[in-house]
Amino acid sequence: MSLPQTPSGGTPRLRRGAVAACAVVLSTAALTACGAGNNAESLGIKPDNPSVTVDTISVQNANVITQPESGKAGPAAVSATIFNKGNEDQTVDSIALQGGGSAKLSPAQGAGPVVVPAQGKIVIGGQGNPSAVIEDGLALTKNIGGVQNVVFGLSKTGAVKLDAFVVPSASYYKDFGPSAAPSPAAAPASPANPADESGQPATGASAPASP
């Protein structure tokens, strides 16, 4: 029985069928890699952040931030990023909650409207930014972890509605949330025996009876 012949280069020749099989394997691997490329469904998944676009206005990352604990009285706040892709400035005229209630809007500095500049954006909430404060946020603490329908009123676009997450003022949201509710001031203790600075009973106080 004769052994397979080795070519002059010193390497055995592969059969044509083996070469074709290798080509199929390589092609399949390449196609599999392309399946995770730019057109893969996984790349189409968007972050689960509340956002909506109406005309030239986009509202993103909207949250209603409550006191840290459920049932704790105090204000709440609305935070959001508003983009204006139009060629004219717009103002945020109102922020209202479904079921009643609205936020008090304040600019970052001084007085006046909250302006979203043309081809620009603003962030509502956080230090150095405009604020939107809900004075009584007690009921909202009962919905922590849920959603709250919020309507942003823009001067030209009109109503922009979306469901915002209700989150406690803790961790990442602490710097964007409302201030803590003020503690009630303690009443001064009344002296048992009122006296003036001289140590004598005050006017109208009864003097002790003589023995």
Side-chain angles (χ1 to χ4, degrees):
M1 179 177 177
S2 59
L3 296 174
Q5 297 296 319
T6 301
S8 59
T11 304
R13 293 179 180 176
L14 293 174
R15 293 180 180 274
R16 291 183 179 180
V19 173
C22 289
V24 171
V25 171
L26 292 174
S27 299
T28 304
L31 290 174
T32 303
C34 291
N38 293 335
N39 295 325
E41 291 184 4
S42 59
L43 296 182
I45 298 175
K46 298 180 180 180
D48 189 16
N49 293 327
S51 63
V52 66
T53 298
V54 178
D55 295 333
T56 61
I57 293 293
S58 294
V59 180
Q60 299 181 11
N61 299 324
N63 296 284
V64 177
I65 307 175
T66 71
Q67 295 295 315
E69 300 173 1
S70 178
K72 185 175 182 179
V78 177
S79 69
T81 303
I82 303 178
F83 295 85
N84 180 5
K85 298 180 182 179
N87 296 321
E88 297 182 82
D89 294 351
Q90 293 204 44
T91 59
V92 183
D93 296 334
S94 63
I95 298 180
L97 306 182
Q98 181 183 27
S102 60
K104 180 182 178 182
L105 288 162
S106 300
Q109 295 179 348
V114 175
V115 179
V116 190
Q119 299 297 323
K121 69 174 183 178
I122 61 168
V123 176
I124 296 179
Q127 186 176 5
N129 299 322
S131 63
V133 177
I134 303 160
E135 292 185 0
D136 185 3
L138 176 60
L140 291 168
T141 65
K142 300 177 182 179
N143 194 27
I144 290 176
V147 295
Q148 170 68 52
N149 184 260
V150 182
V151 182
F152 294 79
L154 278 296
S155 57
K156 293 181 173 61
T157 300
V160 179
K161 305 177 182 179
L162 81 165
D163 287 332
F165 291 141
V166 181
V167 297
S169 179
S171 186
Y172 171 80
Y173 300 101
K174 186 176 181 180
D175 293 335
F176 293 85
S179 58
S183 301
S190 300
N193 296 314
D196 60 18
E197 295 180 356
S198 64
Q200 299 299 319
T203 303
S206 300
S210 301

